[in-house]
Amino acid sequence: MRLVLAEGLDARFARHKKHEQALIAGLEAMGLEIYGDKECKMPVVTAIKIPEHVDGEAVRAMLLNDFEIEIASSFGPLKGKIWRIGTMGYSCRKENILHVLAALEAVLIRQKAKITIGEAVQAALNKYQQLENQ
């Protein structure tokens, strides 16, 4: 609670929104689809549709084992259909957003997913630059 008070709620909310926007820019540049209405989503978690013909659990395992990144799957009717990436706490930092985008791209390439290669990190960097210049 001290950290929240030290940062201030307005700054904390702005930080989460900033990193969410960069993450979404990178994911979409890769050709991945955000699940749900982006206007209504919480900035601390982003749901992504798992691309067709991709083993979502194999992607999660490789991210964890090779990159020490943990993303969540889902449950109920969305089990096996979406991943959830959190942007809160320690993960809500520029270097972590860039790391998860680069790692996810690498893993999806190995899974032979139909994605746009080489654009995700650049799109996130562009978004950060745009937000910093506002």
Side-chain angles (χ1 to χ4, degrees), residues 14-34:
R15 178 170 55 87
H16 286 102
K17 188 69 177 167
K18 172 180 151 181
H19 295 298
E20 171 210 32
Q21 289 176 17
L23 176 65
I24 288 174
L27 294 169
E28 289 181 336
M30 205 182 311
L32 298 176
E33 187 178 348
I34 306 304

Side-chain angles (χ1 to χ4, degrees), residues 15-114:
R15 178 170 55 87
H16 286 102
K17 188 69 177 167
K18 172 180 151 181
H19 295 298
E20 171 210 32
Q21 289 176 17
L23 176 65
I24 288 174
L27 294 169
E28 289 181 336
M30 205 182 311
L32 298 176
E33 187 178 348
I34 306 304
Y35 177 80
D37 184 349
K38 287 190 287 187
E39 298 299 318
C40 298
K41 71 178 282 313
M42 297 180 298
V44 295
V45 66
T46 299
I48 307 129
K49 290 184 181 180
I50 298 172
E52 286 187 35
H53 311 296
V54 170
D55 181 343
E57 290 306 304
V59 168
R60 290 180 63 236
M62 190 171 186
L63 284 171
L64 184 60
N65 295 329
D66 294 337
F67 296 94
E68 297 184 3
I69 295 172
E70 187 170 10
I71 66 171
S73 57
S74 197
F75 43 88
L78 293 176
K79 184 176 183 176
K81 296 181 180 174
I82 67 168
W83 294 307
R84 294 175 293 138
I85 298 177
T87 48
M88 60 192 97
Y90 180 78
S91 67
C92 192
R93 300 170 3 163
K94 182 177 181 178
E95 57 268 32
N96 291 337
I97 297 300
L98 298 175
H99 180 66
V100 76
L101 288 169
L104 182 58
E105 180 180 294
V107 172
L108 288 174
I109 289 168
R110 296 198 55 92
Q111 286 281 316
K112 301 195 181 347
K114 294 180 180 176

